[in-house]
Amino acid sequence: MDTKKIIGLAAIGLALYFVIADPVGSSNAVGAAGAWLQGVAQSFVAFLQNLFR
């Protein structure tokens, strides 16, 4: 097995462990990550709008 595949499987296993061990905490973490990505996207759009005015 190559290293990429081992790391990928380990990451999937770790994510599954956290979802099974603490589903509410995992849900909150995903929600926070989504809110952060939304903020990044909004900031990027605002930057582009100001750049091309």
Side-chain angles (χ1 to χ4, degrees):
M1 262 188 183
D2 63 339
T3 306
K4 276 185 170 180
K5 192 170 189 177
I6 292 172
I7 292 173
L9 289 174
I12 291 170
L14 189 62
L16 284 175
Y17 169 76
F18 282 120
V19 168
I20 292 168
D22 187 15
V24 174
S26 300
S27 173
N28 290 339
V30 170
W36 180 80
L37 286 173
Q38 182 181 10
V40 169
Q42 288 174 342
S43 297
F44 185 68
V45 168
F47 168 75
L48 289 178
Q49 286 175 339
N50 289 327
L51 186 64
F52 292 112
R53 282 191 183 172

